[in-house]
Amino acid sequence: MSEQKQAQQHVVIVGAGMAGVQTAVALRERGFTGPVTLIGAEPHQPYDRPPLSKAVLLGKAEGSAFDIDFEELGVELRLGLDVTGLRADDHEIDTEAGPVAYDVLVVATGAQPITLPGTEGVPGVHLLRTLDDAVRLGPVLERRHSVVVVGAGWIGAEFATAAREAGCAVTVVEAADRPLAGALPAEVTAPMAEWYGENGAELLTHARVRTVEPGAPGRVVLADGRELPADAVVVGIGAVPATGWLTGSGITLDPSGAVTADERLRTSLPDVYAVGDCASFPSARYGRRLLVHHWDNALQGPRTVAATITGAGAEADSGPYDPVPYFWSEQFGRFVQYAGHHADADRLIRRGDPAEKSWSVLWLRAGVPVALLAVGRPRDLAQGRKLIETATAVDPARAADPSVPLKAAVV
């Protein structure tokens, strides 16, 4: 894109989380000179989310605002503003404050947590997605209330960890037969179930919530009739792309509700891109479309969007967007990392004893690593991630020996 054309192009970014903020930053880093407007639904300065379930929740930090001078960056912030629609033919979005015109639009609205049916507006029932959520939950931990966590996924485990650290009585209820049932296979998550009890939290599996009754304390009534006292209930049962505002816009969504972006994160509408938790993209590496609800995806994707918008050597220097997905979780005194996508693997290799503090699991397809889970083994993660990125085959026998560095297991 020529400098003259850039100066006339107005880029509007909807969503002021990691993906939206990094898109604005990446545009400026690539020399984009046109006006950039960043619109966020929350009134707070744009902030990072991972600390919400850790330092912010425990009162060890007041917030997690990005250390970015938006004024110096030449980015207009419009915060506390809900976007309600997109009219692509007019190149305008609708907001509570009226329409906003764009030349280029970036959809970065992230995901929204799934609520537990029947609990909307019930006192004492919480979600943990925003800074306001973390602030509301702070006093629960300070007063060492009894807490019931619904869902033993990543966010449920992280909140349970923080609540136990604060001295709360914690019961986690999970409808499936194990933690992380939707994310990892049973043979991998089985040892993780032990972490709860070891840290003083009770884990109930095959447990479905019938109702939540408010009170002091309230009660969580399970489908089998069991009643759990609860001063507070925290719901962590997943999230869905926050794309409801795109209804009627003509943009193509996949069955999950995510915007279907292409290999350069362009959408089905002209001059509209999508990035982060709200967008799925085609992965040639894994032969399928991926929807990745994790921080690293929101950090990496904006670079592709900015390269494509500016057009300066975009194809040559960044290529199609096809990352090795990566995320981490801190729970029950363990640092858990995952890289890749294991769904099509044909072999699972264990490195170390899962009863110990550190171990890892490597997934292979035709002898080539496609995914790796590391618990307290960051070197495995770093080396395994490189092997996945380069599609380098390994010797299964050597890869199964935890004393052998993964990079030394290459065929």
Side-chain angles (χ1 to χ4, degrees):
M1 185 185 301
S2 70
E3 192 168 322
Q4 183 178 7
K5 187 176 180 183
Q6 279 193 22
Q8 299 168 349
Q9 291 263 311
H10 180 197
V11 177
V12 174
I13 304 167
V14 181
M18 171 63 81
V21 166
Q22 289 301 321
T23 299
V25 170
L27 283 168
R28 293 302 188 221
E29 287 178 343
R30 283 193 162 268
F32 181 78
T33 58
V36 176
T37 300
L38 182 64
I39 300 176
E42 296 180 57
H44 312 290
Q45 280 290 115
Y47 61 87
D48 205 4
R49 294 190 189 277
L52 297 184
S53 60
K54 305 172 185 73
V56 175
L57 189 61
L58 289 167
K60 297 177 181 178
E62 291 185 4
S64 55
F66 292 112
D67 185 18
I68 295 172
D69 188 330
F70 290 97
E71 186 175 350
E72 183 178 330
L73 201 61
V75 172
E76 178 192 14
L77 286 183
R78 299 191 65 180
L79 303 176
L81 183 62
D82 276 324
V83 176
T84 56
L86 164 61
R87 289 175 287 108
D89 289 345
D90 298 327
H91 268 56
E92 286 185 341
I93 56 171
D94 292 318
T95 78
E96 294 175 317
V100 176
Y102 66 85
D103 294 302
V104 177
L105 177 67
V106 180
V107 178
T109 40
Q112 58 194 28
I114 298 170
T115 57
L116 190 64
T119 63
E120 295 86 346
V122 175
V125 177
H126 302 264
L127 299 169
L128 181 50
R129 179 75 183 181
T130 68
L131 179 58
D132 288 340
D133 292 337
V135 169
R136 281 190 289 266
L137 278 164
V140 171
L141 271 60
E142 289 171 11
R143 296 167 189 160
R144 299 185 177 181
H145 283 173
S146 63
V147 180
V148 170
V149 180
V150 182
W154 300 112
I155 195 67
E158 290 189 359
F159 179 80
T161 298
R164 284 299 302 140
E165 186 177 331
C168 297
V170 177
T171 302
V172 180
V173 298
E174 169 58 52
D177 60 348
R178 63 188 191 278
L180 296 168
L184 295 167
E187 56 193 326
V188 174
T189 58
M192 296 178 171
E194 305 300 321
W195 298 354
Y196 289 79
E198 291 171 4
N199 288 271
E202 184 178 12
L203 173 64
L204 304 178
T205 56
H206 298 286
R208 293 188 175 277
V209 175
R210 180 189 296 162
T211 59
V212 176
E213 300 176 358
R219 292 186 305 169
V220 174
V221 182
L222 302 181
D224 61 9
R226 282 179 291 177
E227 297 183 359
L228 309 174
D231 295 308
V233 178
V234 178
V235 178
I237 55 176
V240 293
T243 55
W245 65 282
L246 293 169
T247 300
S249 68
I251 201 167
T252 303
L253 306 178
D254 67 19
S256 73
V259 180
T260 53
D262 69 6
E263 76 284 353
R264 300 211 50 89
L265 301 180
R266 295 168 292 214
T267 75
S268 61
L269 296 177
D271 304 316
V272 180
Y273 298 77
V275 65
D277 291 5
C278 66
S280 65
F281 58 89
S283 171
R285 185 190 309 276
Y286 292 107
R288 63 174 64 198
R289 181 167 284 276
L290 298 181
L291 174 61
V292 180
H293 280 189
H294 295 296
W295 184 91
D296 191 65
N297 179 51
L299 174 67
Q300 305 293 342
R303 297 169 187 168
T304 295
V305 171
T308 310
I309 291 172
T310 57
E315 302 296 335
D317 65 12
S318 64
Y321 186 63
D322 195 6
V324 172
Y326 166 76
F327 69 90
W328 80 96
S329 176
E330 296 175 62
Q331 50 184 272
F332 304 117
R334 292 168 172 86
F335 187 46
V336 183
Q337 295 173 285
Y338 177 93
H341 184 74
H342 65 270
D344 295 324
D346 54 32
R347 185 165 184 176
L348 181 152
I349 294 175
R350 294 189 181 277
R351 288 173 56 80
D353 183 353
E356 302 296 330
K357 273 284 191 179
S358 63
W359 49 277
S360 59
V361 172
L362 182 68
W363 285 270
L364 306 180
R365 184 175 64 227
V368 175
V370 292
L372 184 134
L373 174 78
V375 178
R377 291 181 67 98
R379 185 174 299 176
D380 274 9
L381 190 286
Q383 294 180 12
R385 190 177 185 182
K386 287 182 180 178
L387 296 176
I388 297 167
E389 288 172 346
T390 55
T392 301
V394 296
D395 173 9
R398 288 181 62 74
D401 184 345
S403 68
V404 175
L406 278 173
K407 65 182 181 182
V410 172
V411 174

